[in-house]
Amino acid sequence: MVTVCSSERTVVEVTSAAERRAWRDGVAVAVATSAYGVSFGALAVTAGLDVWQACALSLLMFTGGSQFAFIGVIASGGLAAAPTAIASAVLLGVRNTAYAVRMNPVIGLSWWHRIAAAHFTIDESTAVSLAQEGPRARRTGFWVTGIAIFIGWNVTTLAGALLGDVLGDVRAYGLDAAAAAAFLALLWPRLRSRQAVATGVASAVVAATATPWLVPGIPVLLAAVVAILVGWFNWWGATPRREARA
């Protein structure tokens, strides 16, 4: 009886620790990503959108890459380029479909949970969730990250749109680097095998090479295809180094 109780207590403690880590990761990524919303709000107004249009994009589209692709095309071509802007945004948003397939078993629960989760299935919520250990911690990471970023991103979009003229060139602040650093912090502990390193390097090289030549969205999809191929064929083996040493 004592042994059983001790084991149950250990499981509860491990689960609680995992969920606390999910909360920490989710909030940290949300803070870093939300800061970048200031850039979007300011750039959207500079591109010709008004404050409410910029806020509507963040509320309804809510996927940073697609939003920046949209206003980037609008800024260069005006309203006449709207069809191209929409196409670029859709191409970048396609990746969220792949995320949804991967996150479906993680979210689980009822159908209305899955419907609600659709709007929060973005790069950051997926990355934080999959970085956790255990189903409860993964669900916690997903919801904390998605909801926190949604709130923060919309607040900072409004701030950036209202203060755009005061802030000047927001790209000079390097806010995008904060989001990239948060992703790297999540990714780094998972690079424990040659296969994981090879997948990351191959995808990064393809995306970086294709970006100057292809329309927004295509490089991301190409990088995803490369990741799938490298992972599928398992050319470098997938055994974690720490296990190999054991």
Side-chain angles (χ1 to χ4, degrees):
M1 178 67 71
V2 174
T3 303
V4 173
C5 292
S6 177
S7 299
E8 291 178 349
R9 189 181 306 113
T10 301
V11 171
V12 171
E13 290 174 353
V14 170
T15 301
S16 298
E19 291 191 71
R20 286 196 298 271
R21 182 196 167 197
W23 271 90
R24 288 196 302 269
D25 289 350
V27 171
V29 170
V31 170
T33 303
S34 296
Y36 197 23
V38 174
S39 293
F40 172 74
L43 292 174
V45 172
T46 302
L49 277 65
D50 61 32
V51 173
W52 301 114
Q53 288 171 330
C55 291
L57 279 177
S58 286
L59 281 168
L60 302 176
M61 187 179 290
F62 186 51
T63 173
S66 294
Q67 292 178 228
F68 278 104
F70 181 87
I71 63 169
V73 176
I74 292 295
S76 60
L79 291 179
T84 303
I86 293 171
S88 297
V90 169
L91 282 172
L92 272 172
V94 166
R95 72 191 190 281
N96 289 356
T97 303
Y99 296 157
V101 173
R102 179 62 183 88
M103 295 307 298
N104 188 55
V106 175
I107 300 302
L109 304 176
S110 62
W111 61 269
W112 64 270
H113 278 96
R114 297 180 183 181
I115 292 176
H119 199 55
F120 303 115
T121 303
I122 55 176
D123 302 303
E124 294 83 359
S125 60
T126 302
V128 171
S129 176
L130 296 181
Q132 309 308 315
E133 299 291 338
R136 290 184 60 181
R138 288 184 173 183
R139 279 196 297 272
T140 298
F142 174 85
W143 287 109
V144 168
T145 308
I147 293 173
I149 290 179
F150 181 77
I151 295 172
W153 183 262
N154 281 281
V155 169
T156 55
T157 292
L158 176 60
L162 292 174
L163 301 175
D165 293 335
V166 177
L167 295 173
D169 186 1
V170 291
R171 289 170 292 191
Y173 293 99
L175 296 175
D176 54 331
F183 267 110
L184 183 60
L186 288 172
L187 177 64
W188 191 260
R190 301 178 70 85
L191 299 179
R192 298 193 299 250
S193 69
R194 289 175 297 178
Q195 181 69 15
V197 173
T199 301
V201 170
S203 300
V205 169
V206 169
T209 303
T211 295
W213 307 101
L214 300 176
V215 297
I218 297 298
V220 175
L221 297 179
L222 288 177
V225 170
V226 170
I228 292 171
L229 289 175
V230 175
W232 180 270
F233 289 104
N234 194 25
W235 287 314
W236 286 273
T239 304
R241 290 174 183 171
R242 64 182 182 183
E243 293 179 4
R245 286 197 299 269

